[in-house]
Amino acid sequence: MGKYVRDLTIKESRKAGSDLQLITLFTGQPFPGFLPGQFLQIRVDGSSDTFLRRPFSVHDYDSSSGELKILVHIVGNGSRTLAAMPPGESVNAIFPLGNSFTMPEKGQKVLLVGGGCGIAPLLYLGRKIVENGIKPQFLLGFRNSSVMPETRPYSELGELLIVTEDGSEGEAGFVTDHHVLKEGEYDRIYCCGPDEMMKAVVNAPAALNAGCEVSLENLMACGFGVCLCCIAETVRGNLCTCTDGPVFNSADLKWGQPGISCG
Amino acid sequence: MIDMTVDLNGLKLKNPVMTASGTSGYGTELEDFFDPSLLGALIVKGTTPEPREGNRYPRMAETASGMLNSVGLQNKGIGHFKEVIYPDISRYDTEVIVNINGNTIDDYLNITGQLVSMDKIRAIELNISCPNVKMGGMAFGTHSASAREVIREVRKAWPRHLMVKLSPNVTSVTEFASIAEEEGADSLSLINTLLGIAIDAEKRRPKLANITGGLSGPAIKPVALRMVWQVSKAVEIPVVGIGGIVSSDDALEFIIAGASAIQVGTGIFLDPEAPVKIVKGIEDYCKRHGFSNTEEFRGSFEDVAP
């Protein structure tokens, strides 16, 4: 798959939760498109403290309009600067990067589990799963209702289950407290969120007989497999999250690394 | 007509721009962005006799205008290079230079011995300056007697171009440059990364699992320029400048300081097309200033008072 380095124009940017910004970018000339789970490396402004590119997963993409959505978790200078950029400005991006989630087979029962900003790649994944004739189930967890983005895009694609730690929306607790992860039966579970959450999800009773894929967000410099900084420890040795991932079969991961927060 | 070629002490390069070891894999990773044959040389990632998994994650931390890395020479070993990589990258119409590493002098000689039979490899870059490995690496490059011994032994075993990559983590870089020249190095490349640490104040923890790492990026450019200037005055052999080069202006500064060629490293992470843009930028500069070759202004900055 070819890679592109382009200046993408910001078409729209709006607050999507207390620390989330939903940004719509125009990808320009037609290109083969994105696979679900892929990401972009965005150069925010190249200033001294936002020196390296930042990885953002494809939140949604419409090939007919060329519009791409990213969900930015505002955690540091890079994300804060990006979130403050007005429509009309542009950012340089390298894309599409990384592997992708494996599509389920016809008739399979699938659950998409997201935590916090880790819900970002699950919308585009859900859309692709629907295009393949399967109705997915979403289980999304947040700290509280104030950090939640609009969830209608998810509920339009499939059944939506919400969990918040304080019970301000949906059921109270963690995603792993939800009965679907205790008693549900699935062929495939897709998961993205903080490492501790993903570890718990892939060990939940419902996940034991399902094929589980998780999307990692390791610290990276290049995004295209040359710096070897973003490695995941796997049964096949150290692999690059940016090129061998970000999607991994959970059975391949050794989870040997400290938890990394989103952003 | 601009002649972009460089004669690096007998090693002919089509232009002065190379990729720095550890920042462009084996060159194949760059094919998504440009044809690697457009560059003066590709310096492929640091290679050891045995496969290495490198250091634990996290291996990088962003710092002001730069980054620290503690990758630790993760690579699949010289055997994999010989069987899988070398046959593939031999198709490139440019010089492929292998950056060699080891824990012991025998390790360096082991790799060198295997590379001798690979005709396409006309040069090696002897890395005695990696800050991220416990044995070998910088331990050789920061101790003068060890540096002399490893260069001398590799020199005996390697009949073609020998480039020695110097560490900036020394009191006098010219001392090591002179040792390399005395022991028969054909060229010098500098600088490798500067040893540093980064701390997460909230957690009171190091940001790198390895605690220390190598600093690279524009943050180190003034240090690199100063060292290239000092070294190019101290030795007769050509100097290859490395350190924070992200644009053709940066590259030109190194040439004006005395470098015959340059390597782009961390700049590739920012813009994977940077190396080819730098080639073009140097060519444009030559046109604007009426130079037919970079040699005409190399080391010229002291000719004119500011």
mmCIF file of all heavy atoms in Angstrom, chain A residues 1 3 5 48 50-54 94 218-219 221-222 224 226-229 231 233 237-238 256 260, chain B residues 22-25 29 32-33 45 53 56-57 59-60 62 64-67 71 74 218 268-270 272:
data_model
loop_
_atom_site.group_PDB
_atom_site.id
_atom_site.type_symbol
_atom_site.label_atom_id
_atom_site.label_comp_id
_atom_site.label_asym_id
_atom_site.label_seq_id
_atom_site.Cartn_x
_atom_site.Cartn_y
_atom_site.Cartn_z
ATOM 1 N N MET A 1 0.847 -1.200 0.000
ATOM 2 C CA MET A 1 0.000 0.000 0.000
ATOM 3 C C MET A 1 0.879 1.245 0.000
ATOM 4 O O MET A 1 1.789 1.361 0.814
ATOM 5 C CB MET A 1 -0.872 -0.030 1.252
ATOM 6 C CG MET A 1 -2.066 0.892 1.182
ATOM 7 S SD MET A 1 -3.133 0.579 2.599
ATOM 8 C CE MET A 1 -4.715 1.023 1.939
ATOM 9 N N LYS A 3 2.135 5.138 0.421
ATOM 10 C CA LYS A 3 1.947 6.103 1.504
ATOM 11 C C LYS A 3 2.008 7.511 0.924
ATOM 12 O O LYS A 3 2.692 7.758 -0.063
ATOM 13 C CB LYS A 3 3.033 5.926 2.577
ATOM 14 C CG LYS A 3 2.945 4.584 3.292
ATOM 15 C CD LYS A 3 3.967 4.500 4.424
ATOM 16 C CE LYS A 3 3.845 3.189 5.172
ATOM 17 N NZ LYS A 3 4.475 2.070 4.479
ATOM 18 N N VAL A 5 2.351 11.801 1.707
ATOM 19 C CA VAL A 5 2.701 12.895 2.618
ATOM 20 C C VAL A 5 2.002 14.120 2.056
ATOM 21 O O VAL A 5 2.352 14.598 0.977
ATOM 22 C CB VAL A 5 4.230 13.127 2.651
ATOM 23 C CG1 VAL A 5 4.587 14.183 3.690
ATOM 24 C CG2 VAL A 5 4.982 11.828 2.928
ATOM 25 N N SER A 48 9.270 23.720 18.960
ATOM 26 C CA SER A 48 10.273 22.973 19.716
ATOM 27 C C SER A 48 9.656 21.949 20.658
ATOM 28 O O SER A 48 10.250 20.920 20.944
ATOM 29 C CB SER A 48 11.181 23.925 20.478
ATOM 30 O OG SER A 48 10.445 24.580 21.487
ATOM 31 N N THR A 50 6.540 20.518 20.165
ATOM 32 C CA THR A 50 5.696 19.544 19.444
ATOM 33 C C THR A 50 6.467 19.168 18.195
ATOM 34 O O THR A 50 6.039 19.366 17.071
ATOM 35 C CB THR A 50 4.321 20.128 19.067
ATOM 36 O OG1 THR A 50 4.517 21.319 18.304
ATOM 37 C CG2 THR A 50 3.510 20.455 20.291
ATOM 38 N N PHE A 51 7.638 18.624 18.474
ATOM 39 C CA PHE A 51 8.648 18.397 17.469
ATOM 40 C C PHE A 51 8.300 17.216 16.570
ATOM 41 O O PHE A 51 8.305 17.311 15.346
ATOM 42 C CB PHE A 51 9.956 18.176 18.226
ATOM 43 C CG PHE A 51 11.113 17.755 17.398
ATOM 44 C CD1 PHE A 51 11.703 18.644 16.528
ATOM 45 C CD2 PHE A 51 11.616 16.481 17.503
ATOM 46 C CE1 PHE A 51 12.786 18.266 15.771
ATOM 47 C CE2 PHE A 51 12.698 16.090 16.754
ATOM 48 C CZ PHE A 51 13.284 16.986 15.884
ATOM 49 N N LEU A 52 7.985 16.094 17.185
ATOM 50 C CA LEU A 52 7.683 14.880 16.415
ATOM 51 C C LEU A 52 6.232 14.880 15.956
ATOM 52 O O LEU A 52 5.391 15.600 16.500
ATOM 53 C CB LEU A 52 7.944 13.646 17.282
ATOM 54 C CG LEU A 52 9.400 13.435 17.710
ATOM 55 C CD1 LEU A 52 9.481 12.369 18.792
ATOM 56 C CD2 LEU A 52 10.261 13.051 16.514
ATOM 57 N N ARG A 53 5.957 14.046 14.958
ATOM 58 C CA ARG A 53 4.575 13.859 14.519
ATOM 59 C C ARG A 53 3.786 13.125 15.607
ATOM 60 O O ARG A 53 4.368 12.441 16.442
ATOM 61 C CB ARG A 53 4.544 13.046 13.224
ATOM 62 C CG ARG A 53 5.080 13.812 12.040
ATOM 63 C CD ARG A 53 5.192 12.950 10.800
ATOM 64 N NE ARG A 53 5.781 13.701 9.709
ATOM 65 C CZ ARG A 53 5.069 14.361 8.782
ATOM 66 N NH1 ARG A 53 3.753 14.309 8.787
ATOM 67 N NH2 ARG A 53 5.670 15.045 7.835
ATOM 68 N N ARG A 54 2.455 13.285 15.552
ATOM 69 C CA ARG A 54 1.567 12.593 16.491
ATOM 70 C C ARG A 54 0.703 11.602 15.727
ATOM 71 O O ARG A 54 0.113 11.975 14.701
ATOM 72 C CB ARG A 54 0.634 13.602 17.172
ATOM 73 C CG ARG A 54 1.086 14.152 18.509
ATOM 74 C CD ARG A 54 2.310 14.979 18.451
ATOM 75 N NE ARG A 54 2.602 15.574 19.751
ATOM 76 C CZ ARG A 54 3.797 16.026 20.100
ATOM 77 N NH1 ARG A 54 4.800 15.952 19.254
ATOM 78 N NH2 ARG A 54 4.000 16.545 21.289
ATOM 79 N N ILE A 94 1.241 11.999 7.181
ATOM 80 C CA ILE A 94 1.679 10.811 6.444
ATOM 81 C C ILE A 94 0.593 9.759 6.642
ATOM 82 O O ILE A 94 0.169 9.498 7.768
ATOM 83 C CB ILE A 94 3.013 10.262 6.987
ATOM 84 C CG1 ILE A 94 4.080 11.356 7.057
ATOM 85 C CG2 ILE A 94 3.499 9.095 6.127
ATOM 86 C CD1 ILE A 94 5.394 10.869 7.688
ATOM 87 N N ASN A 218 1.406 2.775 21.251
ATOM 88 C CA ASN A 218 2.721 2.957 21.866
ATOM 89 C C ASN A 218 3.381 4.247 21.399
ATOM 90 O O ASN A 218 3.109 4.728 20.301
ATOM 91 C CB ASN A 218 3.613 1.763 21.515
ATOM 92 C CG ASN A 218 3.208 0.508 22.265
ATOM 93 O OD1 ASN A 218 2.225 0.504 22.995
ATOM 94 N ND2 ASN A 218 3.956 -0.551 22.083
ATOM 95 N N LEU A 219 4.246 4.758 22.237
ATOM 96 C CA LEU A 219 4.993 5.967 21.874
ATOM 97 C C LEU A 219 5.829 5.680 20.639
ATOM 98 O O LEU A 219 6.567 4.696 20.592
ATOM 99 C CB LEU A 219 5.920 6.363 23.022
ATOM 100 C CG LEU A 219 5.246 6.913 24.272
ATOM 101 C CD1 LEU A 219 6.242 6.966 25.408
ATOM 102 C CD2 LEU A 219 4.666 8.281 24.001
ATOM 103 N N ALA A 221 8.142 7.449 17.126
ATOM 104 C CA ALA A 221 8.750 8.632 16.520
ATOM 105 C C ALA A 221 8.379 8.699 15.039
ATOM 106 O O ALA A 221 7.737 9.640 14.599
ATOM 107 C CB ALA A 221 10.264 8.620 16.700
ATOM 108 N N CYS A 222 8.747 7.664 14.249
ATOM 109 C CA CYS A 222 8.562 7.805 12.800
ATOM 110 C C CYS A 222 7.158 7.440 12.334
ATOM 111 O O CYS A 222 6.545 8.159 11.571
ATOM 112 C CB CYS A 222 9.608 6.979 12.051
ATOM 113 S SG CYS A 222 9.394 5.200 12.164
ATOM 114 N N PHE A 224 6.583 4.743 10.467
ATOM 115 C CA PHE A 224 6.662 3.885 9.276
ATOM 116 C C PHE A 224 7.775 2.851 9.349
ATOM 117 O O PHE A 224 8.289 2.398 8.328
ATOM 118 C CB PHE A 224 6.739 4.725 7.994
ATOM 119 C CG PHE A 224 7.712 5.878 8.042
ATOM 120 C CD1 PHE A 224 9.023 5.704 7.651
ATOM 121 C CD2 PHE A 224 7.301 7.120 8.499
ATOM 122 C CE1 PHE A 224 9.927 6.762 7.706
ATOM 123 C CE2 PHE A 224 8.206 8.185 8.550
ATOM 124 C CZ PHE A 224 9.509 8.002 8.156
ATOM 125 N N VAL A 226 10.972 2.681 10.817
ATOM 126 C CA VAL A 226 12.427 2.823 10.754
ATOM 127 C C VAL A 226 13.093 3.128 12.100
ATOM 128 O O VAL A 226 14.263 2.822 12.282
ATOM 129 C CB VAL A 226 12.885 3.851 9.696
ATOM 130 C CG1 VAL A 226 12.487 3.398 8.313
ATOM 131 C CG2 VAL A 226 12.373 5.239 9.998
ATOM 132 N N CYS A 227 12.355 3.717 13.045
ATOM 133 C CA CYS A 227 13.042 4.130 14.278
ATOM 134 C C CYS A 227 13.091 3.022 15.327
ATOM 135 O O CYS A 227 13.927 3.061 16.219
ATOM 136 C CB CYS A 227 12.437 5.399 14.853
ATOM 137 S SG CYS A 227 10.850 5.210 15.668
ATOM 138 N N LEU A 228 12.200 2.058 15.225
ATOM 139 C CA LEU A 228 12.155 0.920 16.155
ATOM 140 C C LEU A 228 11.932 1.340 17.610
ATOM 141 O O LEU A 228 12.384 0.670 18.538
ATOM 142 C CB LEU A 228 13.422 0.062 16.053
ATOM 143 C CG LEU A 228 13.832 -0.417 14.652
ATOM 144 C CD1 LEU A 228 15.008 -1.374 14.743
ATOM 145 C CD2 LEU A 228 12.669 -1.076 13.928
ATOM 146 N N CYS A 229 11.215 2.448 17.804
ATOM 147 C CA CYS A 229 10.951 2.919 19.172
ATOM 148 C C CYS A 229 9.660 2.342 19.750
ATOM 149 O O CYS A 229 9.546 2.161 20.954
ATOM 150 C CB CYS A 229 10.867 4.442 19.190
ATOM 151 S SG CYS A 229 12.466 5.247 18.965
ATOM 152 N N ILE A 231 8.085 -0.466 19.871
ATOM 153 C CA ILE A 231 7.940 -1.918 19.857
ATOM 154 C C ILE A 231 6.923 -2.440 20.890
ATOM 155 O O ILE A 231 6.767 -1.912 21.976
ATOM 156 C CB ILE A 231 9.290 -2.617 20.103
ATOM 157 C CG1 ILE A 231 9.966 -2.015 21.334
ATOM 158 C CG2 ILE A 231 10.177 -2.542 18.892
ATOM 159 C CD1 ILE A 231 10.237 -2.983 22.422
ATOM 160 N N GLU A 233 6.150 -6.053 22.833
ATOM 161 C CA GLU A 233 6.783 -7.342 23.121
ATOM 162 C C GLU A 233 5.787 -8.443 22.794
ATOM 163 O O GLU A 233 4.692 -8.477 23.350
ATOM 164 C CB GLU A 233 7.223 -7.391 24.576
ATOM 165 C CG GLU A 233 8.307 -6.364 24.886
ATOM 166 C CD GLU A 233 8.727 -6.349 26.351
ATOM 167 O OE1 GLU A 233 8.282 -7.222 27.115
ATOM 168 O OE2 GLU A 233 9.511 -5.451 26.709
ATOM 169 N N GLY A 237 8.805 -11.941 19.192
ATOM 170 C CA GLY A 237 9.877 -10.967 19.414
ATOM 171 C C GLY A 237 9.318 -9.552 19.444
ATOM 172 O O GLY A 237 8.094 -9.347 19.434
ATOM 173 N N ASN A 238 10.212 -8.585 19.474
ATOM 174 C CA ASN A 238 9.791 -7.185 19.495
ATOM 175 C C ASN A 238 9.332 -6.770 18.108
ATOM 176 O O ASN A 238 10.085 -6.850 17.143
ATOM 177 C CB ASN A 238 10.956 -6.295 19.934
ATOM 178 C CG ASN A 238 11.245 -6.429 21.416
ATOM 179 O OD1 ASN A 238 10.395 -6.884 22.192
ATOM 180 N ND2 ASN A 238 12.436 -6.025 21.818
ATOM 181 N N GLY A 256 4.237 -6.904 28.284
ATOM 182 C CA GLY A 256 5.343 -6.729 29.212
ATOM 183 C C GLY A 256 5.637 -5.287 29.554
ATOM 184 O O GLY A 256 6.539 -4.996 30.305
ATOM 185 N N ILE A 260 0.257 2.654 28.966
ATOM 186 C CA ILE A 260 0.466 3.916 28.269
ATOM 187 C C ILE A 260 -0.897 4.558 28.070
ATOM 188 O O ILE A 260 -1.839 3.911 27.623
ATOM 189 C CB ILE A 260 1.117 3.652 26.890
ATOM 190 C CG1 ILE A 260 2.482 2.999 27.079
ATOM 191 C CG2 ILE A 260 1.232 4.932 26.084
ATOM 192 C CD1 ILE A 260 3.477 3.793 27.863
ATOM 193 N N GLY B 22 20.179 3.567 11.494
ATOM 194 C CA GLY B 22 19.129 3.466 12.508
ATOM 195 C C GLY B 22 17.959 4.402 12.287
ATOM 196 O O GLY B 22 17.052 4.460 13.108
ATOM 197 N N THR B 23 17.970 5.124 11.167
ATOM 198 C CA THR B 23 16.848 6.031 10.930
ATOM 199 C C THR B 23 16.143 5.768 9.602
ATOM 200 O O THR B 23 15.208 6.471 9.246
ATOM 201 C CB THR B 23 17.309 7.504 10.937
ATOM 202 O OG1 THR B 23 18.265 7.684 9.886
ATOM 203 C CG2 THR B 23 17.931 7.879 12.262
ATOM 204 N N SER B 24 16.609 4.745 8.877
ATOM 205 C CA SER B 24 15.902 4.426 7.639
ATOM 206 C C SER B 24 15.952 2.934 7.334
ATOM 207 O O SER B 24 15.904 2.541 6.178
ATOM 208 C CB SER B 24 16.479 5.235 6.471
ATOM 209 O OG SER B 24 17.858 5.008 6.372
ATOM 210 N N GLY B 25 16.022 2.133 8.404
ATOM 211 C CA GLY B 25 15.979 0.682 8.248
ATOM 212 C C GLY B 25 17.046 0.195 7.288
ATOM 213 O O GLY B 25 18.225 0.515 7.425
ATOM 214 N N GLU B 29 12.317 0.620 3.456
ATOM 215 C CA GLU B 29 11.198 1.311 4.108
ATOM 216 C C GLU B 29 10.946 2.687 3.501
ATOM 217 O O GLU B 29 9.870 3.255 3.656
ATOM 218 C CB GLU B 29 11.467 1.450 5.612
ATOM 219 C CG GLU B 29 11.495 0.127 6.376
ATOM 220 C CD GLU B 29 12.868 -0.558 6.371
ATOM 221 O OE1 GLU B 29 13.712 -0.198 5.521
ATOM 222 O OE2 GLU B 29 13.079 -1.450 7.198
ATOM 223 N N ASP B 32 8.402 3.807 -0.097
ATOM 224 C CA ASP B 32 7.053 4.371 -0.143
ATOM 225 C C ASP B 32 7.092 5.871 -0.417
ATOM 226 O O ASP B 32 6.072 6.462 -0.775
ATOM 227 C CB ASP B 32 6.340 4.156 1.205
ATOM 228 C CG ASP B 32 5.811 2.737 1.348
ATOM 229 O OD1 ASP B 32 5.260 2.235 0.350
ATOM 230 O OD2 ASP B 32 5.945 2.161 2.437
ATOM 231 N N PHE B 33 8.261 6.478 -0.196
ATOM 232 C CA PHE B 33 8.340 7.936 -0.297
ATOM 233 C C PHE B 33 9.213 8.433 -1.446
ATOM 234 O O PHE B 33 8.944 9.467 -2.021
ATOM 235 C CB PHE B 33 8.844 8.510 1.033
ATOM 236 C CG PHE B 33 8.026 8.068 2.215
ATOM 237 C CD1 PHE B 33 8.497 7.109 3.094
ATOM 238 C CD2 PHE B 33 6.757 8.589 2.417
ATOM 239 C CE1 PHE B 33 7.727 6.691 4.163
ATOM 240 C CE2 PHE B 33 5.980 8.180 3.489
ATOM 241 C CZ PHE B 33 6.461 7.221 4.369
ATOM 242 N N LYS B 45 20.854 0.023 9.013
ATOM 243 C CA LYS B 45 20.806 0.032 10.472
ATOM 244 C C LYS B 45 21.951 -0.744 11.118
ATOM 245 O O LYS B 45 22.524 -1.653 10.511
ATOM 246 C CB LYS B 45 19.460 -0.495 10.957
ATOM 247 C CG LYS B 45 19.280 -1.974 10.757
ATOM 248 C CD LYS B 45 18.076 -2.487 11.537
ATOM 249 C CE LYS B 45 16.767 -2.293 10.825
ATOM 250 N NZ LYS B 45 15.626 -2.907 11.460
ATOM 251 N N GLU B 53 17.264 -8.112 20.322
ATOM 252 C CA GLU B 53 15.919 -7.581 20.548
ATOM 253 C C GLU B 53 15.946 -6.124 21.016
ATOM 254 O O GLU B 53 14.918 -5.458 21.083
ATOM 255 C CB GLU B 53 15.166 -8.434 21.587
ATOM 256 C CG GLU B 53 14.690 -9.786 21.053
ATOM 257 C CD GLU B 53 13.564 -9.662 20.035
ATOM 258 O OE1 GLU B 53 12.906 -8.617 19.973
ATOM 259 O OE2 GLU B 53 13.348 -10.620 19.272
ATOM 260 N N ARG B 56 14.240 -2.479 26.503
ATOM 261 C CA ARG B 56 12.815 -2.511 26.833
ATOM 262 C C ARG B 56 12.128 -1.218 26.408
ATOM 263 O O ARG B 56 12.750 -0.178 26.252
ATOM 264 C CB ARG B 56 12.615 -2.683 28.358
ATOM 265 C CG ARG B 56 13.115 -4.002 28.942
ATOM 266 C CD ARG B 56 12.303 -5.196 28.511
ATOM 267 N NE ARG B 56 10.880 -5.159 28.825
ATOM 268 C CZ ARG B 56 10.335 -5.557 29.988
ATOM 269 N NH1 ARG B 56 11.106 -5.985 30.980
ATOM 270 N NH2 ARG B 56 9.035 -5.518 30.173
ATOM 271 N N TYR B 57 10.820 -1.310 26.233
ATOM 272 C CA TYR B 57 9.949 -0.163 25.979
ATOM 273 C C TYR B 57 9.654 0.512 27.317
ATOM 274 O O TYR B 57 9.537 -0.217 28.303
ATOM 275 C CB TYR B 57 8.662 -0.693 25.329
ATOM 276 C CG TYR B 57 7.610 0.328 25.032
ATOM 277 C CD1 TYR B 57 7.564 0.959 23.799
ATOM 278 C CD2 TYR B 57 6.653 0.657 25.983
ATOM 279 C CE1 TYR B 57 6.585 1.885 23.517
ATOM 280 C CE2 TYR B 57 5.679 1.590 25.710
ATOM 281 C CZ TYR B 57 5.644 2.209 24.485
ATOM 282 O OH TYR B 57 4.673 3.128 24.208
ATOM 283 N N ARG B 59 11.180 3.362 24.638
ATOM 284 C CA ARG B 59 12.493 3.585 24.053
ATOM 285 C C ARG B 59 12.682 4.993 23.523
ATOM 286 O O ARG B 59 13.721 5.279 22.946
ATOM 287 C CB ARG B 59 12.672 2.649 22.846
ATOM 288 C CG ARG B 59 12.809 1.210 23.193
ATOM 289 C CD ARG B 59 12.865 0.432 21.898
ATOM 290 N NE ARG B 59 13.213 -0.953 22.132
ATOM 291 C CZ ARG B 59 13.447 -1.820 21.151
ATOM 292 N NH1 ARG B 59 13.369 -1.433 19.889
ATOM 293 N NH2 ARG B 59 13.752 -3.068 21.432
ATOM 294 N N MET B 60 11.679 5.823 23.616
ATOM 295 C CA MET B 60 11.872 7.187 23.120
ATOM 296 C C MET B 60 11.142 8.184 24.000
ATOM 297 O O MET B 60 10.164 7.850 24.666
ATOM 298 C CB MET B 60 11.418 7.337 21.657
ATOM 299 C CG MET B 60 9.944 7.123 21.369
ATOM 300 S SD MET B 60 8.828 8.509 21.628
ATOM 301 C CE MET B 60 9.522 9.734 20.578
ATOM 302 N N GLU B 62 10.215 12.477 23.660
ATOM 303 C CA GLU B 62 10.381 13.733 22.924
ATOM 304 C C GLU B 62 10.966 14.768 23.877
ATOM 305 O O GLU B 62 10.575 14.840 25.041
ATOM 306 C CB GLU B 62 9.018 14.193 22.419
ATOM 307 C CG GLU B 62 9.087 15.381 21.492
ATOM 308 C CD GLU B 62 7.706 15.742 20.951
ATOM 309 O OE1 GLU B 62 6.713 15.513 21.657
ATOM 310 O OE2 GLU B 62 7.635 16.240 19.817
ATOM 311 N N ALA B 64 12.900 18.998 23.926
ATOM 312 C CA ALA B 64 12.833 20.258 23.187
ATOM 313 C C ALA B 64 13.643 20.154 21.887
ATOM 314 O O ALA B 64 14.847 19.886 21.925
ATOM 315 C CB ALA B 64 13.359 21.402 24.047
ATOM 316 N N SER B 65 12.976 20.317 20.770
ATOM 317 C CA SER B 65 13.608 20.249 19.441
ATOM 318 C C SER B 65 14.426 18.987 19.219
ATOM 319 O O SER B 65 15.457 19.021 18.551
ATOM 320 C CB SER B 65 14.505 21.477 19.189
ATOM 321 O OG SER B 65 13.707 22.618 19.136
ATOM 322 N N GLY B 66 13.982 17.907 19.794
ATOM 323 C CA GLY B 66 14.718 16.664 19.600
ATOM 324 C C GLY B 66 14.053 15.490 20.282
ATOM 325 O O GLY B 66 12.890 15.562 20.690
ATOM 326 N N MET B 67 14.788 14.416 20.377
ATOM 327 C CA MET B 67 14.264 13.226 21.031
ATOM 328 C C MET B 67 15.410 12.394 21.586
ATOM 329 O O MET B 67 16.539 12.470 21.108
ATOM 330 C CB MET B 67 13.459 12.378 20.042
ATOM 331 C CG MET B 67 14.269 11.847 18.868
ATOM 332 S SD MET B 67 13.323 10.760 17.762
ATOM 333 C CE MET B 67 13.367 9.204 18.674
ATOM 334 N N VAL B 71 16.950 2.592 21.741
ATOM 335 C CA VAL B 71 16.565 1.385 20.995
ATOM 336 C C VAL B 71 17.523 0.239 21.324
ATOM 337 O O VAL B 71 17.089 -0.893 21.582
ATOM 338 C CB VAL B 71 16.541 1.670 19.478
ATOM 339 C CG1 VAL B 71 16.342 0.379 18.692
ATOM 340 C CG2 VAL B 71 15.441 2.665 19.154
ATOM 341 N N GLN B 74 18.519 -2.949 18.070
ATOM 342 C CA GLN B 74 17.651 -4.060 17.664
ATOM 343 C C GLN B 74 17.910 -4.346 16.187
ATOM 344 O O GLN B 74 17.815 -3.461 15.334
ATOM 345 C CB GLN B 74 16.176 -3.697 17.862
ATOM 346 C CG GLN B 74 15.233 -4.825 17.433
ATOM 347 C CD GLN B 74 13.767 -4.484 17.672
ATOM 348 O OE1 GLN B 74 13.427 -3.735 18.574
ATOM 349 N NE2 GLN B 74 12.893 -5.038 16.844
ATOM 350 N N PRO B 218 17.339 18.644 15.913
ATOM 351 C CA PRO B 218 17.911 19.991 15.811
ATOM 352 C C PRO B 218 18.549 20.495 17.104
ATOM 353 O O PRO B 218 19.442 21.345 17.056
ATOM 354 C CB PRO B 218 16.695 20.854 15.435
ATOM 355 C CG PRO B 218 15.801 19.914 14.716
ATOM 356 C CD PRO B 218 15.966 18.583 15.385
ATOM 357 N N ILE B 268 14.394 12.362 9.102
ATOM 358 C CA ILE B 268 13.561 11.445 8.309
ATOM 359 C C ILE B 268 12.243 11.149 9.035
ATOM 360 O O ILE B 268 11.206 10.961 8.404
ATOM 361 C CB ILE B 268 14.345 10.147 8.002
ATOM 362 C CG1 ILE B 268 15.495 10.466 7.038
ATOM 363 C CG2 ILE B 268 13.432 9.060 7.411
ATOM 364 C CD1 ILE B 268 16.466 9.322 6.800
ATOM 365 N N PHE B 269 12.282 11.134 10.376
ATOM 366 C CA PHE B 269 11.051 10.881 11.134
ATOM 367 C C PHE B 269 10.063 12.036 10.949
ATOM 368 O O PHE B 269 8.855 11.835 10.932
ATOM 369 C CB PHE B 269 11.325 10.721 12.630
ATOM 370 C CG PHE B 269 12.385 9.699 12.975
ATOM 371 C CD1 PHE B 269 13.036 9.754 14.200
ATOM 372 C CD2 PHE B 269 12.723 8.686 12.097
ATOM 373 C CE1 PHE B 269 14.002 8.817 14.538
ATOM 374 C CE2 PHE B 269 13.692 7.749 12.428
ATOM 375 C CZ PHE B 269 14.326 7.822 13.647
ATOM 376 N N LEU B 270 10.614 13.244 10.844
ATOM 377 C CA LEU B 270 9.756 14.417 10.686
ATOM 378 C C LEU B 270 9.212 14.482 9.269
ATOM 379 O O LEU B 270 8.046 14.790 9.048
ATOM 380 C CB LEU B 270 10.541 15.694 10.971
ATOM 381 C CG LEU B 270 11.331 15.723 12.269
ATOM 382 C CD1 LEU B 270 12.036 17.049 12.409
ATOM 383 C CD2 LEU B 270 10.417 15.473 13.455
ATOM 384 N N PRO B 272 9.802 12.093 5.852
ATOM 385 C CA PRO B 272 10.512 10.999 5.191
ATOM 386 C C PRO B 272 11.086 11.396 3.833
ATOM 387 O O PRO B 272 11.979 10.732 3.321
ATOM 388 C CB PRO B 272 9.441 9.907 5.048
ATOM 389 C CG PRO B 272 8.137 10.567 5.306
ATOM 390 C CD PRO B 272 8.399 11.775 6.149
#
